[in-house]
Amino acid sequence: MRAVRSCRLLRRLPAKHATAHFQSTGHPFIQSYEPGEDWFWNFTTSELYDSGPELAAPVSHPKDQPVPGPEGRVPANWAETLR
């Protein structure tokens, strides 16, 4: 799971929500929302950064929370609903 940190939107592949968000708003950066990951991606320059500025909490989903959401609460067709 990835977050567009400027507005807390999630990037979920294959829907590529963050890409669509960048294209519609011009917000160029996303940061990983995975525990222990601190990378940033710049859509404008296609550059990957190992780290970036310290952002407000929360910086990741809880370690015990499965992706894409709470276990047992995600419908089987979750990816289809993102399109």
Side-chain angles (χ1 to χ4, degrees):
M1 191 175 313
R2 309 294 178 240
V4 178
R5 297 304 302 258
S6 61
C7 59
R8 303 280 185 182
L9 295 175
L10 302 179
R11 177 184 192 198
R12 296 180 179 124
L13 297 177
K16 299 186 180 179
H17 180 87
T19 302
H21 177 75
F22 162 66
Q23 291 169 342
S24 68
T25 66
H27 297 164
F29 291 97
I30 62 169
Q31 180 192 22
S32 175
Y33 202 58
E34 293 299 311
E37 293 184 5
D38 194 32
W39 58 260
F40 284 75
W41 175 258
N42 183 334
F43 280 103
T44 303
T45 63
S46 295
E47 291 180 274
L48 178 66
Y49 301 93
D50 290 332
S51 64
E54 187 172 330
L55 301 175
V59 296
S60 71
H61 64 83
K63 289 182 182 181
D64 62 348
Q65 178 183 323
V67 177
E71 189 171 7
R73 298 190 63 196
V74 179
N77 68 338
W78 70 268
E80 294 172 20
T81 65
L82 298 176
R83 295 193 175 104

